[in-house]
Amino acid sequence: MTTIDHREKEVPSVDKGAGDVPDFAEANEHPRLRIPFSVTIDGRAYEGVTLSMVGARIAGIAAANWAGAAKLAIFRFNFKEFWLSLPIDVTVASSDSETGAMILRFRDPTGQHMPQIRYLLNSWLAGDPVTLNGLLGTPGTGQGESTSTPKGALQPGNAVLAKVAGTLGISLATIGLIAFIASGLSNRLFVTDVDGPAVVQRQGLTMKATTSGQIDFINLNAAAGQPVYSILSSNGVSLTASMPCDCDVIPAGIERGSTVLLGQPILDANRRDAPLIVQSTLTGPELRRLGMGATAEIETPAGSRIEAKVVLDRTATGPGGPLPVTLLPIRPLEATPGTPVAVRLDNSPELLRSMKAGLSYLWGSK
């Protein structure tokens, strides 16, 4: 480690064309090193040129009347892991208002700043790591490094952008966490699953028995206008129903010889290009939730969630049991007829619904 004598010596003038460092104007002068640093005087920043144990040379916008003035200078040394600032009382030995060059003399070279200055200069000369309390450190760049900003350090504009980006990222993460928690609370407190089975079907019509009797004839492959089934009533009259369209027929478990009652469903006739709907059942409490403002939601096996309008089959009234309903999606379902789906009732407050909708959009849910 190079040792520098810190006894006070006269600081000779330094001309503007100083050569390579270390620089000795006289045999007994302290060496002046080109170590990266900056100086702030009266709120104005200056670039450090050279530094020694008893003074410094800086460059910037110099006032013409500063020569001989006593000032408080803040010396700042920038390293990769930390910054070091030292307040030092100085006397402006010379000031050139044209070139901005100034020579500063430390008023008390053996003051409180002396150990730090000596340590920095010695480490700089030897190329040793510069540490702070043994915790932080950076390798010395050695002689010949003339920039006052360490390599890789953020410029002021980039530092502001990094700070803004960091604040924005933290804010977005906080908002996302709040929305996620609100969505979880909503699902636990306000969302219930419908117990009844729910199956995807083509929208069509249900053909029901127009009289009570026995199925005498049934043809599930009938074309439009052809007889699809006939019912032999108890008085011996046969009533025949025709197929209303070229449709896909879904039987209701009825076959020839089955006994049916008036109004009993016999089959569903669905057009092949008809939109998809969901057939399900709702209990009394579930219907009351709908009446109190809850919305129905269909979830397909693929994970799509679609809000639906609920239509109650008014002719299917039972003694307190589940009632058949039809769910009409507000947008097309992406499923295959006959696929079972889940139906949920959601009576969350509007704010929670908006949060969940935003999360669904971010997660790519449909």
Side-chain angles (χ1 to χ4, degrees):
M1 177 75 67
T2 302
T3 303
I4 299 178
D5 184 7
H6 59 267
R7 292 175 297 174
E8 185 173 1
K9 301 278 172 59
E10 181 180 358
V11 179
S13 62
V14 181
D15 56 299
K16 297 177 249 185
D20 295 334
V21 294
D23 181 13
F24 295 89
E26 295 180 2
N28 62 349
E29 186 190 6
H30 289 272
R32 298 192 300 266
L33 302 180
R34 292 186 180 275
I35 182 171
F37 71 99
S38 61
V39 179
T40 302
I41 302 177
D42 292 348
R44 184 176 296 175
Y46 298 87
E47 181 182 0
V49 179
T50 59
L51 177 67
S52 73
M53 288 295 298
V54 295
R57 188 175 70 173
I58 61 177
I61 302 177
N65 58 350
W66 273 16
K71 298 289 184 180
L72 176 63
I74 306 298
F75 284 71
R76 180 166 175 170
F77 304 88
N78 297 336
F79 298 100
K80 293 180 180 179
E81 291 90 354
F82 61 92
W83 294 340
L84 176 63
S85 295
L86 294 176
I88 304 177
D89 291 322
V90 300
T91 299
V92 182
S94 67
S95 175
D96 191 332
S97 59
E98 293 183 1
T99 64
M102 289 191 297
I103 297 177
L104 306 179
R105 176 187 298 170
F106 298 159
R107 298 177 64 186
D108 183 9
T110 60
Q112 294 183 353
H113 65 276
M114 185 269 293
Q116 290 91 337
I117 293 294
R118 181 178 60 185
Y119 172 66
L120 290 174
L121 293 178
N122 287 344
S123 298
W124 186 263
L125 281 173
D128 293 337
V130 177
T131 62
L132 179 62
N133 294 332
L135 299 178
L136 299 175
T138 182
T141 53
Q143 300 183 36
E145 186 74 34
S146 59
T147 175
S148 60
T149 303
K151 184 177 181 181
L154 289 177
Q155 298 297 326
N158 295 335
V160 172
L161 291 177
K163 184 176 181 180
V164 171
T167 303
L168 181 60
I170 293 174
S171 301
L172 291 177
T174 302
I175 293 174
L177 178 61
I178 293 174
F180 180 78
I181 294 175
S183 177
L185 290 176
S186 173
N187 291 336
R188 289 183 65 91
L189 299 177
F190 303 105
V191 179
T192 58
D193 292 331
V194 173
D195 293 332
V199 180
V200 176
Q201 294 183 4
R202 292 282 181 189
Q203 189 174 24
L205 57 91
T206 300
M207 302 186 70
K208 301 178 181 180
T210 55
T211 185
S212 299
Q214 186 180 35
I215 298 295
D216 184 50
F217 166 80
I218 186 168
N219 180 16
L220 301 181
N221 297 319
Q226 293 181 352
V228 61
Y229 65 84
S230 64
I231 301 175
L232 182 62
S233 64
S234 57
N235 57 10
V237 178
S238 180
L239 300 178
T240 302
S242 300
M243 179 65 72
C245 58
D246 290 326
C247 302
D248 291 329
V249 177
I250 302 176
I254 303 297
E255 58 185 11
R256 183 179 180 183
S258 300
T259 301
V260 295
L261 300 176
L262 176 64
Q264 181 177 348
I266 297 178
L267 56 85
D268 291 325
N270 304 323
R271 295 183 180 274
R272 295 180 177 87
D273 58 349
L276 295 177
I277 60 173
V278 173
Q279 297 286 350
S280 183
T281 59
L282 295 180
T283 62
E286 293 168 346
L287 289 173
R288 283 195 294 272
R289 293 195 64 181
L290 285 176
M292 296 175 62
T295 58
E297 184 182 71
I298 302 169
E299 182 175 357
T300 66
S304 299
R305 296 182 179 181
I306 302 174
E307 190 174 327
K309 179 182 177 181
V310 178
V311 178
L312 178 64
D313 186 355
R314 298 182 180 181
T315 63
T317 56
L323 298 179
V325 294
T326 300
L327 288 88
L328 306 178
I330 61 174
R331 50 193 176 88
L333 274 176
E334 295 182 1
T336 303
T339 302
V341 294
V343 177
R344 296 184 176 90
L345 301 181
D346 186 357
N347 60 348
S348 304
E350 190 62 32
L351 178 60
L352 292 181
R353 292 188 187 183
S354 300
M355 288 184 177
K356 291 197 297 182
L359 285 178
S360 297
Y361 177 79
L362 292 176
W363 292 338
S365 298
K366 298 182 179 180

